[in-house]
Amino acid sequence: KEQEYKDFHYGQSCTVQGQLQVPNGARNPGNFDYQSYLKGQSIYTVLYTSSENLHCEGDHILAKMYLLRNIWLKKLDSVLEDHSFSWVQAIIFGDRDYLSDEMIEDFNEWNLSHLLAISGLHVGLIVGLLYLFLNRLLHISNEKTKIILMIILPIYAIFAGSAPPVIRAVTMTEVLFFASLIRKKWSVADVLSYTALLFILIQPTIVEQLSFQFSFLVTYTIILSKNILMRVGTSWF
């Protein structure tokens, strides 16, 4: 019987014994190609093993951050009602497991499921609120505020589950703040391009993933269509 591991920690070193196999590709044209799918994630072989042949030890600083995330979630769970906690989980921490199936189905039916997934919109709202709080209420200078946000945002990305849209939005914000600090006037399209190139340099196969393609394609479309959208918006009033 296969054992479900729930005590794995990020950054552990594991020793394992098993049988390596090359994943199966598509047998018929148009079928799902499991081999290509894994290749797009830099996975080229599959290891079949059992719990008795797997031993992990060690730890990593990110494991402590994930542990802190779980502690915060438990504290929120203790002070919030179940209904409120489920929305906090979904919108702030990117975990929809606590939402009812009926609620998720309603959002899917109205094509609003993207509102339940943490995206650039959520990151932008958080950055805006924190910027106003630090700069306007605490009267911290613009430069120091940007540096503080550059430290906070990667931590939030980890707490939010490190979803691809969150990583993209956080990276774009980091690049934008960095350019501002070094007095470089980069447009949003340039920042998006630098972010895409950075992702491709780190993981070249990411260009084959639909999440990467759609995420940047939609963002490029919004940026390049800004003037058209503004003209259409003002014509309604």
Side-chain angles (χ1 to χ4, degrees), residues 131 135 140-148 180-181 183:
Y131 197 96
N135 186 251
I140 300 176
S141 65
N142 290 333
E143 289 76 12
K144 290 182 179 179
T145 298
K146 293 173 183 177
I147 294 174
I148 293 173
S180 176
L181 290 174
R183 310 298 181 185

Side-chain angles (χ1 to χ4, degrees), residues 68-79:
L68 180 61
R69 175 182 184 266
N70 294 333
I71 293 174
W72 283 9
L73 287 175
K74 288 181 180 179
K75 289 185 178 180
L76 287 174
D77 190 16
S78 63
V79 298

Side-chain angles (χ1 to χ4, degrees), residues 23-86:
N24 294 325
R27 298 184 178 181
N28 298 308
N31 282 3
F32 174 68
D33 194 332
Y34 185 54
Q35 187 179 72
S36 297
Y37 170 76
L38 293 180
K39 184 180 178 182
Q41 303 180 56
S42 301
I43 300 174
Y44 301 96
T45 56
V46 177
L47 177 68
Y48 293 90
T49 185
S50 60
S51 59
E52 294 80 9
N53 297 324
L54 180 59
H55 305 282
C56 297
E57 60 182 10
D59 212 336
H60 192 274
I61 186 173
L62 289 182
K64 295 179 175 60
M65 298 183 68
Y66 284 121
L67 178 62
L68 180 61
R69 175 182 184 266
N70 294 333
I71 293 174
W72 283 9
L73 287 175
K74 288 181 180 179
K75 289 185 178 180
L76 287 174
D77 190 16
S78 63
V79 298
L80 295 176
E81 297 181 357
D82 292 341
H83 179 73
S84 300
F85 178 68
S86 63

Side-chain angles (χ1 to χ4, degrees), residues 16 20 54 63 102 112 115 136 160 163 197 199 209-210 224:
V16 60
L20 284 174
L54 180 59
E102 293 78 10
L112 297 174
L115 296 178
R136 300 293 177 87
L197 289 174
F199 284 4
Q209 298 181 16
L210 288 178
L224 298 178

Side-chain angles (χ1 to χ4, degrees), residues 99 109 111 118 144 149 151 205 223:
L99 291 177
E109 183 177 353
N111 294 322
I118 299 181
K144 290 182 179 179
L149 289 176
I151 297 173
T205 55
I223 292 173

